[in-house]
Amino acid sequence: MPVCEYTPEELAALMDYTLLKPDASEDEIRKLCFEAIDYGFCSVCVNPANVALATALLASSPVKVCSVVAFPLGASATEVKVFEARHCVYTGCDEIDIVADIAGLISGDYRAVEKELAAVVAGARDAGRKSGRDIIVKVIIETALLPAKVIPEASRIVVNAGADFVKTSTGFARPLGNVPSGATVEAVSLIKSAVGNAVGIKASGGIGSLEKSIALIRAGATRLGVSSGVKIIEELRSCC
């Protein structure tokens, strides 16, 4: 059993409460937002089609709205990624999670991947300035699919591109079968070794327990993407 290193409020403030399934209903988005307010999560992370609703529901709360770009494959054209990022910001997003060109990372085409990410980061930030908001940009490198030796280099590319966070995974890549993966202590440790304190680290993909949440934070994660946020916080309350 993990020690009580965090209060429920402190741990919730490190979580992006996430609902990215393709069949998420309006009622589910509403429930997500209301629970995020009640528990004090850092943000809700929703698909671009749900940003306007989430923005309206959270307008009077400190909970941020996060959305995803080129999700979950990362295989969109650069111009499409830039447009999608700008659109999310103009619709109300405070934070953007971009999926990097995974195939480009695996093949070692690092210069092209960095150039694309820099363009998307710049587009999101420009839209933020025009909207009067500072935008946080996270880049998903999909550690579930990357060879371990590529993870540090991919992480350094994210830093060079000007993003604020390296994020482990979409949670949709399941190379080991029907089990979400990507948010592992090993992956977070590799990212941390590469970036130090230069950027934040968001662990996401298969985080379903308090024990795993604490282990990932100990390894270096500064944000957690979770769909089981309420369950995890209630687990903390029951044991501490």
Side-chain angles (χ1 to χ4, degrees):
M1 180 65 66
V3 298
C4 299
E5 299 177 30
Y6 297 88
T7 66
E9 294 76 18
E10 289 169 340
L11 186 58
L14 299 178
M15 292 179 164
D16 293 341
Y17 193 31
T18 302
L19 179 55
L20 293 169
K21 64 178 186 177
D23 59 342
S25 68
E26 181 175 322
D27 285 345
E28 287 176 307
I29 297 297
R30 290 181 179 276
K31 182 173 183 286
L32 182 86
C33 291
F34 295 146
E35 288 179 339
I37 294 170
D38 289 343
Y39 283 82
F41 294 120
C42 180
S43 80
V44 298
C45 189
V46 297
N47 284 310
N50 296 314
V51 168
L53 175 60
T55 299
L57 292 171
L58 296 169
S60 60
S61 84
V63 180
K64 299 176 181 179
V65 178
C66 175
S67 193
V68 289
V69 170
F71 191 87
L73 301 178
S76 303
T78 301
E79 295 81 3
V80 175
K81 289 184 178 182
V82 172
F83 178 87
E84 189 173 21
R86 286 180 174 274
H87 176 76
C88 286
V89 173
Y90 288 140
T91 311
C93 272
D94 304 293
E95 303 194 353
I96 301 289
D97 289 14
I98 306 162
V99 185
D101 178 358
I102 301 161
L105 291 174
I106 293 173
S107 67
D109 197 2
Y110 299 140
R111 183 175 298 180
V113 175
E114 183 179 319
K115 182 179 179 181
E116 176 179 85
L117 289 174
V120 184
V121 170
R125 295 260 171 74
D126 178 65
R129 283 191 294 271
K130 291 176 179 176
S131 303
R133 303 196 311 282
D134 293 326
I135 305 301
I136 298 296
V137 181
K138 314 184 201 89
V139 174
I140 303 167
I141 61 173
E142 198 59 278
T143 54
L145 299 179
L146 294 187
K149 66 181 181 181
V150 175
I151 293 174
E153 187 62 39
S155 302
R156 286 188 284 268
I157 287 170
V158 173
V159 176
N160 294 341
D164 301 289
F165 281 78
V166 181
K167 178 178 173 182
T168 59
S169 178
T170 62
F172 280 65
R174 302 185 177 194
L176 301 178
N178 195 32
V179 180
S181 58
T184 65
V185 167
E186 293 76 16
V188 170
S189 297
L190 285 170
I191 295 169
K192 181 67 174 178
S193 69
V195 305
N197 296 320
V199 295
I201 300 172
K202 178 176 174 179
S204 182
I207 305 173
S209 69
L210 175 60
E211 184 174 9
K212 185 165 187 179
S213 299
I214 297 299
L216 291 166
I217 293 170
R218 287 174 177 169
T222 55
R223 191 83 69 87
L224 304 175
V226 294
S227 58
S228 302
V230 169
K231 171 183 173 291
I232 294 168
I233 298 303
E234 289 300 335
E235 186 180 350
L236 177 58
R237 287 175 173 170
S238 68
C239 74
C240 297

